[in-house]
Amino acid sequence: VPELPEVETIVRGLRATVLRKTFLAIDVLREDLLATPRATFVRALSRRTISGVDRRGKNVVFTLTKSNGTAGGVLVVNLGMSGRLLRVERGRTSPLATHPGVRFALTDGSTLLYHDIRRFGRLSIADLDQYERWAASMGPEPLSSGFTSARLAWGLSRSSSRVHSWLLDQKRIAGIGNIYASEALFRARVHPGKRANELSPDEARRLHRAIRAVLADAVRSGGTTFRDYRTTEGEKGTYARALRVYARAGQRCTRCLGIIDRMVLGGRSAFYCPECQPSPDEAP
Ligand SMILES: [Zn+2]
């Protein structure tokens, strides 16, 4: 599932290629991917120019401008489990395009393809007010300067959720999923089952540092590819080789002699080292 580093990589790829291009034609091949009725969707995008490409949490946000230069709303793309935004140059076909969902023809002859094998992704159109309200309902961006150690500690102190589940809650912090929650907790040496409001001030500081370090490293590696995730140019991210606990149950910890374990919290898998991240019940 694409998380912050994968979506950030896609956004950077789009900024370098489709910014200031205009949508010429929109071909909806899989209507179930749209959160907006097809006719409204097509009308809202036709002849709109892409004046911005940004990320909010795990979503790609295209800011649009009308041909007369006025604001034209936003297109929000949530990639779901296996969504891709692939750029295909004029006259080319993409060998990766086995499950095209929506084709956006751009005025320079290139195509932006929304591709989704499992079809849990969603594309929606919003006006700026709707978008601002939605964006404000989400937690802070962990790589922004506003996300301080004090802010994290304050957020944790107000919840008795397990810290792994807390990290996955997009209303508390944006962009984190199973992979980076497990990796950040390992680096911070905090057990995933610990209650958020039971982290010590030092643990909260370590977690803040770990979240930022893990996410920034993963962005530099172009994200983590296990199966479906690809960049806009169809390439794989290389962060999988840097993972210390995620999907490594039964293997040796890279820091001690322990064996990585997996537990299920709120229906989601958390990976951790029982030696490096002692259970809160056993902690002194
Ligand atoms: Zn260990």
Side-chain angles (χ1 to χ4, degrees):
V1 176
E3 302 181 29
L4 186 153
E6 292 76 44
V7 179
E8 181 65 26
T9 302
I10 289 167
V11 163
R12 291 178 184 190
L14 292 169
R15 268 192 209 132
T17 51
V18 306
L19 200 57
R20 286 180 290 279
K21 306 256 160 50
T22 299
F23 290 118
L24 188 62
I26 293 95
D27 186 10
V28 179
L29 304 159
R30 292 287 185 181
E31 198 164 349
D32 57 344
L33 293 167
L34 305 186
T36 307
R38 177 200 291 253
T40 313
F41 184 84
V42 171
R43 200 177 334 114
L45 292 175
S46 299
R47 290 284 162 190
R48 299 286 156 94
T49 299
I50 301 167
S51 48
V53 187
D54 296 283
R55 182 186 55 74
R56 182 70 176 110
K58 304 178 198 172
N59 304 276
V60 181
V61 182
F62 295 86
T63 305
L64 309 168
T65 305
K66 294 181 186 172
S67 51
N68 63 8
T70 61
V74 297
L75 163 65
V76 178
V77 179
N78 182 295
L79 301 162
M81 305 281 285
S82 56
R84 295 173 184 165
L85 277 164
L86 298 170
R87 202 184 60 90
V88 185
E89 281 183 64
R90 175 204 295 267
R92 297 269 179 89
T93 53
S94 170
L96 290 170
T98 52
H99 295 73
V102 183
R103 265 196 210 103
F104 304 90
L106 300 169
T107 36
D108 68 344
S110 68
T111 302
L112 181 62
L113 181 67
Y114 181 75
H115 179 281
D116 201 338
I117 294 170
R118 300 174 70 178
R119 301 218 303 278
F120 286 106
R122 283 296 171 272
L123 288 75
S124 37
I125 301 288
D127 63 32
L128 285 177
D129 284 347
Q130 289 168 326
Y131 170 70
E132 291 298 339
R133 269 199 305 278
W134 170 79
S137 72
M138 231 183 274
E141 285 292 335
L143 292 179
S144 72
S145 56
F147 180 68
T148 60
S149 179
R151 180 156 185 185
L152 175 65
W154 176 79
L156 291 168
S157 73
R158 296 166 71 242
S159 168
S160 59
S161 300
R162 308 284 185 177
V163 63
H164 185 265
S165 306
W166 190 96
L167 289 170
L168 299 188
D169 184 347
Q170 300 300 299
K171 289 191 162 38
R172 300 196 185 274
I173 182 167
I176 297 178
N178 269 354
I179 297 177
Y180 301 105
S182 288
E183 292 297 314
L185 288 167
F186 172 78
R187 289 187 195 210
R189 286 174 280 123
V190 173
H191 189 278
K194 194 156 187 169
R195 305 263 172 205
N197 58 6
E198 287 174 358
L199 265 68
S200 70
D202 191 47
E203 286 176 319
R205 269 193 297 275
R206 292 202 309 257
L207 182 57
H208 177 259
R209 228 172 12 242
I211 289 168
R212 288 170 69 106
V214 164
L215 294 174
D217 283 355
V219 169
R220 272 192 290 277
S221 301
T224 301
T225 294
F226 275 105
R227 190 170 38 197
D228 294 316
Y229 160 70
R230 295 290 186 281
T231 70
T232 52
E233 305 306 304
E235 283 162 10
K236 295 181 181 182
T238 61
Y239 196 69
R241 67 176 74 127
L243 297 174
R244 311 277 294 272
V245 287
Y246 183 79
R248 294 191 68 242
Q251 298 179 42
R252 289 268 177 214
C253 173
T254 54
R255 194 159 57 196
C256 73
L257 293 174
I259 302 290
I260 304 302
D261 204 352
R262 184 183 81 101
M263 69 191 296
V264 177
L265 292 167
R268 311 286 296 276
S269 288
F271 295 88
Y272 67 105
C273 171
E275 307 298 325
C276 296
Q277 298 159 268
S279 159
D281 309 325
E282 297 160 18

